[in-house]
Amino acid sequence: MVRVAEDPADREACFAVRKEVFVVEQGVPQEIEYDAYDAGAVHVLAVQEDGVPLGTGRLLYGEAALAKTDGDPSVGSLGRLAVAQAARGLGVGAALVRAIEDAARARGLAAVDLHAQTHALGFYERLGYAAYGPEFPDAGIPHRAMRRVL
């Protein structure tokens, strides 16, 4: 099940998955994993039937997204997509992306941008995203910008 993380417990579950994936697994420094954008973002959370968190992602929109969308206010920014290791390959990531796109549509956005780790380009391409621009490092990991028109 995927839902918008409305209450503090859901948001903490989102942050715990991000810590597991980005900080512990990938070595992203904790001080750059959590940022000022978290407070105003739409966070989504995937949980299994017993409530165990499986994955998370966030949507930035409006002013918060402008630096990530070339200044286009009609485009949202999908980010911090993380799926727990035990849940990979089960469709959790795709369900999270679709939930973020639904949240973007609900806010009247025309497209969603993201910065994909290069090893995940194929995953996002299968979901309708197209890469643009050159490869760039983020937290020491190669990334590419991608966009999907909604």
Side-chain angles (χ1 to χ4, degrees):
M1 181 176 76
V2 178
R3 64 179 180 251
V4 173
E6 304 271 359
D7 64 49
D10 277 356
R11 289 176 71 99
E12 286 305 313
C14 291
F15 296 150
V17 172
R18 284 171 47 184
K19 182 175 183 178
E20 174 189 336
V21 172
F22 296 125
V23 177
V24 176
E25 274 184 49
Q26 296 183 355
V28 173
Q30 189 163 319
E31 59 272 10
I32 66 171
E33 172 51 32
Y34 307 101
D35 59 27
Y37 295 115
D38 280 326
V42 176
H43 297 268
V44 295
L45 175 66
V47 296
Q48 60 188 32
E49 288 180 15
D50 63 1
V52 171
L54 300 175
T56 188
R58 76 177 186 188
L59 172 69
L60 302 180
Y61 60 97
E63 194 170 312
L66 294 178
K68 298 175 181 288
T69 63
D70 293 327
D72 188 339
S74 72
V75 180
S77 176
L78 183 160
R80 303 304 202 266
L81 190 76
V83 176
Q85 197 167 28
R88 293 182 193 149
L90 303 176
V92 173
L96 288 163
V97 170
R98 295 304 183 221
I100 291 168
E101 291 170 351
D102 289 345
R105 280 187 200 89
R107 286 157 180 79
L109 299 176
V112 173
D113 273 13
L114 59 88
H115 294 163
Q117 293 182 8
T118 55
H119 72 83
L121 288 172
F123 166 77
Y124 290 111
E125 287 168 345
R126 288 188 293 279
L127 294 174
Y129 288 79
Y132 67 90
E135 185 176 293
F136 60 93
D138 187 1
I141 301 167
H143 284 69
R144 290 276 312 274
M146 301 186 85
R147 177 172 288 181
R148 179 170 187 253
V149 175
L150 300 175

